[in-house]
Every structure is written in structure tokens, then in C-alpha cells.
Amino acid sequence: MGSVKRYLGIILSSFLILGSNMTAFAATQYQDVITQTEAGAEETRLGNFSTKKVVNFQPQAKAGLAKKDVIVISNVSKPTKYNLFQPVSDYIAAPGTVSVSKGVSTTISASVTGGVTVDAEILKANVASTLGGSVTFTTTQTISYPISSGYKGRIVLRYSQDRYTYTVTKNSKSYNCSGYTAAYDEYYALQQISLR
């Protein structure tokens, strides 16, 4: 019986150590999470009632790249995670009900900026696979929610995007660039602001 307790203790200790290592890894994967909110709003998560379609990033001027061009991607930062939102309804004051109809589409675009054009495949391979992708979210059902007394409210689409910074060196000239990944971790939320 004593040996069983000892082995059980060793196994539990191993799980605790593994768990803490996984937590440490998750914490270092991203820089600061930056959350955008409406000033004074109280937010309630409603759930994810959407389908999504991802449109991969297409370079603006792929023809501008010659085969002799030498391109190096360096100084790729850790991603900074942004928790953002897009309103999908207007504000309605109590005692009304705010809603979004089935089939409403919301497109979240991701940008790639800098002083140089680089083929999308080079960026995907060296920075992030979903860099610059746009996503269209379409509601799969009608979402309705009553507004609390003394408040006005609206429904927003919540999502996350990662931002990277990196250096592109093209034919020995360097450019500081940045880009956002396609939106992910989407869900709908009710934002309410007190009218008092």
C-alpha cells in the first residue's frame, strides 16, 4: 500500500510539473493581449453563431518581383494578440430588443504594410501562414437579446488577430514591415451602456 501511495505521488508531481511548463509556454507565446472595448460598456458573451470563409492574402504586385531579386525575412517578432470587435447592429435603448438576422455577413480584413512588395508565399513561410488573410463571418441564426432597463445595447462580433513586425531585405535594402493575421476565436457579444 505504501509503494502505491509513493508511485501515485510521483505521478501527480509529474503532472503538476508538466502542467506548469505548459502554462509557462502558453504565456510566452504572445506579447501583451490588447483588448478593445466600447467606453463604459458592459459585455455579455452570447456565443459563436457563424460560419466563416477565409480569403488568402494576394500580393498587390506579384509581377514586380523579378527572379533575380534576393529577399530575406528577418527580425520576426513574437505576435501581439489583439482582441477586437466589429458592431453588427445599431444601438437600441431599453425596453427594446437588439437583434442580428440570419445570413448577415461581416468581413474582417487583415493588412500587410511596409515599403516593399513581397510574394505572399514568402511571407506565409517566414512570418505566419495566415498573414494578411481576410475572413467573412456569416450568422447561421437570428440573434436576439432584450436590453436591460436603463441601458442601450448592441451586438458586436468579437475576434482576435495577431500582429507581427519583421524586416524585409530586398536586394540589400531593408524595410520595416508589419502585418495582421486572419481573424480567429470569433464570437458574438452584447454590449450595454448605462443611460443614467
Side-chain angles (χ1 to χ4, degrees), residues 13 17 42 72 88 102 113-114 137 147 151 161 177:
S13 297
I17 291 167
E42 298 173 19
V72 176
V88 291
K102 178 180 178 179
T113 60
F137 300 100
I147 305 303
Y151 285 79
Q161 282 183 292
C177 302

Side-chain angles (χ1 to χ4, degrees), residues 10-193:
I10 292 170
I11 291 169
L12 287 174
S13 297
S14 298
F15 278 123
L16 287 173
I17 291 167
L18 179 62
S20 63
N21 286 342
M22 292 299 286
T23 303
F25 173 77
T28 58
Q29 184 180 1
Y30 289 102
Q31 293 183 357
D32 295 339
V33 175
I34 299 174
T35 302
Q36 178 188 11
T37 57
E38 182 74 7
E42 298 173 19
E43 202 166 281
T44 304
R45 184 181 179 129
L46 302 178
N48 183 10
F49 314 106
S50 69
T51 59
K52 67 181 179 180
K53 179 181 179 184
V54 180
V55 178
N56 290 327
F57 168 63
Q58 299 296 323
Q60 294 292 323
K62 189 172 179 178
L65 290 172
K67 288 186 178 179
K68 61 179 176 49
D69 287 336
V70 177
I71 295 173
V72 176
I73 308 289
S74 60
N75 303 322
V76 179
S77 68
K78 285 184 180 179
T80 299
K81 185 176 181 179
Y82 288 78
N83 184 347
L84 307 168
F85 72 86
Q86 180 75 37
V88 291
S89 77
D90 293 328
Y91 274 113
I92 301 290
T97 298
V98 67
S99 65
V100 177
S101 299
K102 178 180 178 179
V104 170
S105 293
T106 307
T107 299
I108 307 298
S109 297
S111 61
V112 173
T113 60
V116 62
T117 300
V118 178
D119 188 284
E121 295 307 315
I122 294 174
L123 293 179
K124 288 177 184 180
N126 291 277
V127 183
S129 62
T130 62
L131 191 73
S134 295
V135 186
T136 298
F137 300 100
T138 305
T139 53
T140 56
Q141 65 185 67
T142 296
I143 308 167
S144 294
Y145 210 88
I147 305 303
S148 301
S149 178
Y151 285 79
K152 66 176 183 178
R154 67 178 177 182
I155 295 174
V156 299
L157 173 67
R158 273 275 180 195
Y159 60 93
S160 295
Q161 282 183 292
D162 297 339
R163 180 179 183 268
Y164 288 84
T165 59
Y166 50 94
T167 302
V168 176
T169 303
K170 179 178 177 182
N171 300 331
S172 300
K173 185 172 181 180
S174 293
Y175 304 86
N176 293 323
C177 302
S178 64
Y180 287 86
T181 62
Y184 64 95
D185 283 352
E186 69 282 357
Y187 64 89
Y188 292 93
L190 172 69
Q191 284 185 346
Q192 296 190 106
I193 295 178

